[in-house]
Amino acid sequence: MSLPTSHSASSPRHLALLSLPRELRDYIYNAVLETSISPPASPASAMDRWENDKPWGADHGIVYERRPASISCLGLLCCNRQISGEMKSAITRKSNDPEGGVTYKLDIMVQHVQLWPTWTAIPASPQHMRHVEVDIRIFTYSDLEFRYDRRHIPGAVAMHLLRLLSGFLAHGPLFISHSKPLPCTLRLETLTVNLSSIPEGFPKAQYEWEGAYRIHAFKRMKALLGHLDDSGLLSGKVGRLKLCSRNEVEEWEIEDKGFNSRIAQQWVQYGWNSALI
């Protein structure tokens, strides 16, 4: 949605919106907050990216969007005072809805040891972030690279996931430090991680993913999130974790736990953002 020009407050489109009954305008505002875009079909079709974060000498890291999706309601917030006020009221109502809320959606493609994150829904500014859904699509799976346990150094994919998650909690949707700090500290009520099947067009990968790979990936992701919870690094940042893969669902509350400096520094060594320590 493009930004309005300086004379847009009296443009025919805005006048047409204000001519609708308030109930219909509220319906439109809610629809905007539920709008999402389709992620790239594959890493090969993900355009305009840049790569960063190569811990431990990995050849490939996280391939970020150069221009992440903009806030869905930005155009309406930049309209005249009445429309902007009504849009803000709609955000507040949806944020306070006990049966839902504003949901932000992130797609992550995994190919070899690279992550390709794409925001598919940023309904409002980060200060309203309460619910985040992450879809992880695994195009190539290596159990060694997904591994994380107390006896071994994490695999490259596990370290990149740690770096991406902690970068988001520290810096918001851009994942990395930038000149304009977040207006608030992120505190999610729910973080949902979905391990999705490979899309059509990848028959060999589809066959392997639906077999043993999906089971192994679910176990590895459960172990990674469980270790994060046990370490206390998610305390005060995430209220509830949910991990899904087809009919398998694991869900648990994050308890407030302390952590010692030795464990914290080990997580930093493995990719956790030091700004969260």
Side-chain angles (χ1 to χ4, degrees), residues 52-201:
N52 194 16
D53 293 335
K54 302 179 180 179
W56 290 63
D59 292 331
H60 302 285
I62 304 173
V63 188
Y64 296 100
E65 298 175 275
R66 289 191 184 276
R67 297 180 180 178
S70 61
I71 297 172
S72 301
C73 64
L74 182 60
L76 291 171
L77 290 174
C78 293
C79 288
N80 62 38
R81 184 177 300 177
Q82 181 177 348
I83 293 177
S84 177
E86 291 176 355
M87 187 71 248
K88 290 177 181 177
S89 296
I91 295 172
T92 300
R93 284 195 305 271
K94 196 166 183 65
S95 297
N96 296 332
D97 185 355
E99 297 183 358
V102 180
T103 300
Y104 298 70
K105 298 180 180 180
L106 174 66
D107 178 84
I108 301 175
M109 296 180 289
V110 179
Q111 188 171 55
H112 303 298
V113 295
Q114 284 182 303
L115 303 187
W116 303 70
T118 303
W119 284 104
T120 59
I122 305 180
S125 62
Q127 69 192 70
H128 298 286
M129 277 189 165
R130 299 290 184 274
H131 308 282
V132 174
E133 292 183 3
V134 181
D135 287 328
I136 298 180
R137 293 182 290 151
I138 304 175
F139 287 79
T140 56
Y141 179 76
S142 167
D143 198 57
L144 181 65
E145 301 299 350
F146 262 82
R147 180 184 64 193
Y148 182 83
D149 56 52
R150 293 182 174 89
R151 297 171 299 169
H152 301 93
I153 294 174
V157 172
M159 285 196 289
H160 293 332
L161 287 170
L162 288 173
R163 190 173 294 264
L164 194 67
L165 173 60
S166 60
F168 161 66
L169 292 174
H171 305 298
L174 292 180
F175 300 111
I176 59 175
S177 178
H178 46 94
S179 58
K180 188 175 181 180
L182 286 176
C184 62
T185 301
L186 288 184
R187 205 291 184 181
L188 306 182
E189 292 181 15
T190 60
L191 174 61
T192 302
V193 178
N194 301 304
L195 296 177
S196 303
S197 298
I198 299 300
E200 295 182 2

Side-chain angles (χ1 to χ4, degrees), residues 261-274:
S261 58
R262 182 184 63 82
I263 295 177
Q265 289 305 315
Q266 184 182 49
W267 281 94
V268 170
Q269 185 182 23
Y270 291 158
W272 194 253
N273 196 298
S274 59

